[in-house]
């Protein structure tokens, strides 16, 4: 590992090329994760519900006739004609441009969102390289970035922040900071605890008074994970940035739709957390006039 880091320190151009190409491939994989994870969750919930129903009706015959969906199976196909997508039709960005955004068999439009996520992953990854250079911090921040991209788009689509991403993200933050990567072990632990509590303290009274949920527990877990990565000192900045972004987007949507609609807050927490990891210290020092 140290040899690779030393090589890329001496050859920054090679580092940018390697991370750029690799992150495009990661972006292609993230598209699959974003698309399939909610479907996998739905399938699991449906399976549990059917099992309970069948156990009540026919306790001796529990049969679930549904093939299991995973990130790798079944192979990707066109949603309209079911033609398998070949490897050369799945090259990040390039295949979409060559195919002109359409299926090679039936000409069904392919959403521009797929190359957008691939390019977004590359741009964010290269930004991480610029900020941290060839270092352990860079490798950790890349994983942090990729998980946040998944959470942002899943939350926009489904208003869900799956535990299978927020909890491992928190665990990874605690683990890496046991080696003082971004903060101290003690700060990581308190960041995790306070990150969960600071939103819960606001949401719980709201739920008692209004008799409805104002914020999902996924938001608490995400902020707790960000606290585990950066410690409690960045939580106020994350909440402030996410609130500003949420307010601006909320006003735009209100003006556009003419009514106040519920919208996910998780993406703004994730974006604010990414900004805080990369530039939090500089923003804080600038605000304090240091």
């Amino acid at each position: 590992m140290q040899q690779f880091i030393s090589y890329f320190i001496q050859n920054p151009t090679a580092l940018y090329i390697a991370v750029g190409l690799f992150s495009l491939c990661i972006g292609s994989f993230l598209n699959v994760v974003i698309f399939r994870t909610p479907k996998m969750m739905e399938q699991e919930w449906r399976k549990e519900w059917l099992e309970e129903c069948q156990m009540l009706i026919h306790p001796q015959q529990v049969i679930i006739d549904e093939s299991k969906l995973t990130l790798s199976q079944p192979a990707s196909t066109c949603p309209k004609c079911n033609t398998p997508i070949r490897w050369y039709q799945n090259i990040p960005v390039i295949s979409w441009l060559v195919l002109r955004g359409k299926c090679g068999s039936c000409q069904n439009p392919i959403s521009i969102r797929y190359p957008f996520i691939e390019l977004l992953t590359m741009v964010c990854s290269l930004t991480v390289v610029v900020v941290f250079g060839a270092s352990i911090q860079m490798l950790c921040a890349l994983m942090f970035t990729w998980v946040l991209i998944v959470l942002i788009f899943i939350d926009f689509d489904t208003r869900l922040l799956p535990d299978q991403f927020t909890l491992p993200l928190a665990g990874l933050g605690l683990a890496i900071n046991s080696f003082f990567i971004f903060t101290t072990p003690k700060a990581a632990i308190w960041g995790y605890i306070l990150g969960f509590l600071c939103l819960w303290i606001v949401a719980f009274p709201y739920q008692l008074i209004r008799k409805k949920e104002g914020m999902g527990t996924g938001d608490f877990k995400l902020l707790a994970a960000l606290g585990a990565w950066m410690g409690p000192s960045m939580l106020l900045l994350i909440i402030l940035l996410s609130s500003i972004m949420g307010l601006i987007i909320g006003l735009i949507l209100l003006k556009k739709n003419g009514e106040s609609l519920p919208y996910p807050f998780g993406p703004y927490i994730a974006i604010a957390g990414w900004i805080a990891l990369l530039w939090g210290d500089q923003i804080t020092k600038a605000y304090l006039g240091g």
Side-chain angles (χ1 to χ4, degrees):
M1 178 64 71
Q2 192 62 41
Q3 292 178 343
F4 280 107
I5 292 176
S6 298
Y7 172 78
F8 285 125
I9 289 175
Q10 298 172 7
N11 300 274
T13 301
L15 176 62
Y16 290 126
I17 293 173
V19 172
L21 293 177
F22 184 68
S23 58
L24 278 176
C25 297
I26 290 293
S28 181
F29 175 68
L30 296 187
N31 273 317
V32 176
V33 175
I34 292 165
F35 179 76
R36 292 199 177 192
T37 296
K39 295 183 179 296
M40 291 162 58
M41 295 170 62
E42 181 182 349
Q43 185 185 68
E44 189 63 30
W45 296 333
R46 185 166 58 249
K47 179 182 177 182
E48 292 176 0
W49 181 78
L50 288 173
E51 285 178 345
E52 292 179 3
C53 292
Q54 291 180 356
M55 285 295 293
L56 291 173
I57 300 172
H58 301 291
Q60 303 302 321
Q61 297 179 350
V62 179
I63 301 173
I64 308 298
D65 186 18
E66 187 175 21
S67 56
K68 185 176 179 62
L69 178 66
T70 68
L71 293 178
S72 59
Q73 296 296 330
S76 298
T77 60
C78 171
K80 184 176 181 179
C81 66
N82 292 321
T83 301
I85 298 176
R86 308 298 181 185
W87 69 266
Y88 52 83
Q89 297 175 322
N90 208 25
I91 301 173
V93 180
I94 295 176
S95 292
W96 190 88
L97 292 173
V98 171
L99 294 170
R100 298 181 180 180
K102 297 179 181 179
C103 171
S105 298
C106 68
Q107 301 301 301
N108 184 54
I110 302 172
S111 174
I112 195 173
R113 179 166 136 167
Y114 293 108
F116 173 76
I117 290 177
E118 292 164 355
L119 288 172
L120 176 67
T121 304
M122 182 186 71
V123 170
C124 291
S125 299
L126 290 175
T127 303
V128 167
V129 176
V130 171
V131 172
F132 293 108
S135 63
I136 297 297
Q137 287 89 343
M138 181 203 76
L139 295 176
C140 295
L142 285 174
M143 291 186 285
F144 178 82
T145 300
W146 300 335
V147 174
L148 289 187
I149 290 173
V150 169
L151 287 170
I152 287 169
F153 283 94
I154 289 180
D155 201 17
F156 270 132
D157 290 342
T158 65
R159 293 187 174 87
L160 293 172
L161 290 169
D163 287 351
Q164 53 260 54
F165 296 111
T166 55
L167 298 183
L169 183 66
L172 183 60
L174 293 171
I176 64 172
N177 283 321
S178 66
F179 298 98
F180 298 83
I181 301 299
F182 292 107
T183 188
T184 66
K186 183 178 179 179
I189 294 171
W190 278 109
Y192 178 79
I193 295 171
L194 295 176
F196 186 90
L197 288 179
C198 63
L199 287 185
W200 181 85
I201 289 171
V202 174
F204 183 67
Y206 178 90
Q207 188 171 353
L208 287 178
I209 296 170
R210 298 294 298 273
K211 305 300 181 183
K212 64 179 181 179
E213 191 176 82
M215 185 177 294
T217 58
D219 295 330
F220 310 162
K221 296 171 186 176
L222 175 57
L223 188 59
L226 298 180
W229 276 75
M230 289 169 269
S233 62
M234 287 296 166
L235 290 176
L236 182 59
L237 176 62
I238 293 171
I239 294 172
L240 179 61
L241 290 176
S242 60
S243 298
I244 293 172
M245 285 186 286
L247 177 62
I248 293 173
I249 299 299
L251 291 174
I252 293 173
L253 293 177
L254 179 62
K255 184 176 181 181
K256 180 179 179 181
N257 299 322
E259 58 179 329
S260 180
L261 299 174
Y263 60 92
F265 190 56
Y268 309 117
I269 297 175
I271 295 170
W274 188 76
I275 292 172
L277 185 73
L278 271 64
W279 302 290
D281 290 335
Q282 293 91 320
I283 294 174
T284 303
K285 289 178 181 178
Y287 177 77
L288 296 176

